[in-house]
């Protein structure tokens, strides 16, 4: 019985509502430009906050036309392993540790050679 009541309809595939009388929200088209000159157009809602930088489909960073690239004050320089090591140890301490480890390795090799 339930099969007959849904005959002729694809359940969930089509909406029964019509789009007559519906107006889309106001929009604005914004242009971005990559360093190599590639243009990127993005559509935003009229009241949306426009980001100063956009990533294009090709993965390049595009800057808002008539805008400036923001300077990120929170951007930190990449810390290397050596930088982090120097935060914990001084150079004389590191030299002493190196000498100790080399001494241990030399003793092991000497024991194996005998």
């Amino acid at each position: 019985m339930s099969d007959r009541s849904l005959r002729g309809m694809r359940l969930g595939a089509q909406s029964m509502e019509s789009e007559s009388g519906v107006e889309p929200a106001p929009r604005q088209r914004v242009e971005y430009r990559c360093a190599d000159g590639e243009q990127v157009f993005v559509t935003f809602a009229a009241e949306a906050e426009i980001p100063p930088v956009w990533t294009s489909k090709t993965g390049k960073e595009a800057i808002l036309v008539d805008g400036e690239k923001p300077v990120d004050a929170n951007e930190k320089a990449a810390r290397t392993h050596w930088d982090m090591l120097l935060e914990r140890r001084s150079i004389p301490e590191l030299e002493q540790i190196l000498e100790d480890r080399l001494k241990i390795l030399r003793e092991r090799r000497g024991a194996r050679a005998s």
Side-chain angles (χ1 to χ4, degrees):
M1 178 101 174
S2 63
D3 293 337
R4 292 182 185 191
S5 63
L6 296 176
R7 184 178 294 171
M9 284 294 300
R10 288 177 277 174
L11 195 59
Q14 294 176 334
S15 173
M16 298 300 288
E17 297 180 15
S18 67
E19 293 185 15
S20 61
V22 176
E23 288 187 32
R27 295 179 273 179
Q28 58 180 327
R29 189 173 183 205
V30 180
E31 180 182 359
Y32 291 89
R33 198 166 285 145
C34 296
D36 64 354
E38 177 186 353
Q39 293 179 325
V40 179
F41 294 97
V42 183
T43 304
F44 291 100
E47 66 273 356
E49 184 178 329
I50 308 300
V53 179
W54 190 263
T55 304
S56 69
K57 290 180 182 178
T58 57
K60 300 175 197 167
E61 189 176 81
I63 300 172
L64 181 65
V65 173
D66 300 330
E68 294 182 9
K69 183 177 179 181
V71 178
D72 190 7
N74 295 335
E75 189 173 323
K76 295 180 181 177
R79 287 177 31 198
T80 63
H81 177 73
W82 180 249
D83 295 332
M84 290 184 268
L85 187 62
L86 288 177
E87 290 174 4
R88 296 188 308 255
R89 309 260 188 199
S90 66
I91 297 292
E93 285 179 308
L94 292 172
E95 288 174 349
Q96 182 61 44
I97 292 170
L98 176 64
E99 287 301 318
D100 293 343
R101 296 306 297 171
L102 287 173
K103 182 179 174 186
I104 293 170
L105 286 172
R106 288 179 183 133
E107 288 173 357
R108 283 187 195 167
R109 287 186 180 165
R112 287 185 190 163
S114 299

